[in-house]
Amino acid sequence: MTDERVPDNTAVRVALWRAMHVRADPPPHVLVDEIGVRLIAPDDDWRSRPDMDPVGTSRFRASMVSRARFVEDLVVEQVGHGVTQYVILGAGLDTFAQRRPEIASHLTLFEIEQPATQAWKRQRLIDLGYGIPDWLRLVPVDFEANEPWWDQLIAAGFDPTRPAVVASTGVTMYLTKETNASTLRQLARLAPGSTVAMTFLLPPDHLAEADRAGLQMSEKGARAAGTPFISFYTPQEMLAAAREAGFSDAQHVSGTDLADRYFANRTDGLHPSTGEDFLLATT
């Protein structure tokens, strides 16, 4: 597709990796998502892209599906506890609403994303017949112009008096630590019983040796695309930032934890890379 509003390379790559997990890896699949690739409608030879190499990029592919599965399991758990609002900060090509309508339709789901990307996604969802149900709220926010995402979220119908699940994956590394701290302070003021799942990149010296070259490659690609990695955190630094922001409870969920949860006992050796962990915080 040549539309200039097509999502950035990172969002496209993540969606394609999720499809590659289904097409290149044997069952059991950690996540089944081929809707993202339908949204993108790439050229027929997309699986020949260097970043789709089924062996060379398998650890990154595994990381993307494990982090998505972790968030979705959290959302399902919180719906069972009566939570009815779900916010995705930096939604990109997330397809939870289309893949899991039996869960999503019991929520008011707010997807926050840059206006151009979101307009493109809205049109693609309509073109493919998914439409935009009333419970799915697409919230355009121009982060580059420092638009207040909280105000836009409230205007879209978010109820700050009721608990919510908030997910932010693959975002913090592109923002300054000051901006991330501001976001955490805002999220810490969510209604009691709310849960935030936020990923962060570890400093290079905290990665397994086998994954450091991959991080360097990712950093180089991000710089070339005009979206360099800015912020890295040790787990202790991220936990301290969450507590300083005002969260009553903050936990660190490592990539190793996700590997143990979703990839144990596989016979194909598929295993996620190290380098990106979760902050799991509650109000």
Side-chain angles (χ1 to χ4, degrees):
M1 301 183 67
T2 59
D3 190 327
E4 64 180 5
R5 297 178 300 172
V6 71
D8 65 37
N9 290 334
T10 300
V12 169
R13 185 181 301 113
V14 169
L16 296 183
W17 270 337
R18 286 161 68 147
M20 278 293 290
H21 176 55
V22 177
R23 301 187 186 194
D25 301 323
H29 294 122
V30 175
L31 186 84
V32 177
D33 181 9
E34 295 190 279
I35 293 176
V37 74
R38 293 188 63 202
L39 290 172
I40 299 164
D43 294 336
D44 291 341
D45 64 348
W46 68 269
R47 293 181 62 176
S48 300
R49 289 171 42 147
D51 57 0
M52 292 298 119
D53 181 271
V55 176
T57 64
S58 64
R59 289 169 67 87
F60 299 110
R61 180 169 73 244
S63 294
M64 293 304 101
V65 296
S66 65
R67 81 180 188 187
R69 174 66 181 274
F70 177 74
V71 170
E72 293 194 9
D73 286 351
L74 174 66
V75 171
V76 172
E77 174 187 74
Q78 292 302 305
V79 168
H81 294 161
V83 173
T84 58
Q85 298 185 110
Y86 175 28
V87 179
I88 309 176
L89 281 172
L93 295 177
D94 190 272
T95 60
F96 178 74
Q98 292 75 45
R99 290 181 296 101
R100 303 293 304 276
E102 77 284 1
I103 299 295
S105 61
H106 292 283
L107 295 158
T108 305
L109 198 168
F110 302 87
E111 294 191 8
I112 298 177
E113 187 50 85
Q114 293 278 15
T117 295
Q118 198 163 81
W120 177 90
K121 183 179 181 182
R122 175 186 290 274
Q123 188 58 53
R124 289 297 296 148
L125 289 172
I126 293 170
D127 291 345
L128 292 173
Y130 292 106
I132 313 295
D134 181 64
W135 46 263
L136 175 59
R137 312 288 173 84
L138 302 183
V139 186
V141 176
D142 189 346
F143 296 103
E144 295 175 359
N146 294 316
E147 279 191 354
W149 63 269
W150 180 257
D151 293 348
Q152 300 291 87
L153 179 61
I154 297 296
F158 181 79
D159 184 350
T161 68
R162 294 191 291 119
V165 180
V166 179
S168 175
T169 59
V171 175
T172 58
M173 70 280 280
Y174 299 112
L175 305 176
T176 65
K177 290 193 173 183
E178 291 76 12
T179 299
N180 288 326
S182 176
T183 299
L184 285 170
R185 286 193 296 271
Q186 183 67 69
L187 294 173
R189 293 197 288 269
L190 289 167
S194 297
T195 306
V196 173
M198 176 181 286
T199 62
F200 60 96
L201 280 188
L202 300 174
D205 61 357
H206 281 59
L207 272 65
E209 187 68 36
D211 294 325
R212 293 181 185 179
L215 175 62
Q216 292 174 347
M217 180 181 68
S218 297
E219 282 191 288
K220 182 178 179 181
R223 283 196 304 272
T227 54
F229 295 164
I230 297 173
S231 296
F232 298 83
Y233 296 85
T234 66
Q236 294 75 20
E237 288 171 337
M238 181 53 80
L239 289 172
R243 291 173 181 137
E244 185 175 325
F247 281 99
S248 62
D249 182 67
Q251 301 174 43
H252 166 228
V253 181
S254 70
T256 301
D257 293 333
L258 297 187
D260 291 342
R261 181 179 301 195
Y262 299 121
F263 294 87
N265 303 317
R266 290 189 70 97
T267 59
D268 59 354
L270 185 65
H271 193 278
S273 62
T274 59
E276 187 176 54
D277 289 359
F278 267 98
L279 166 71
L280 188 63
T282 56
T283 57

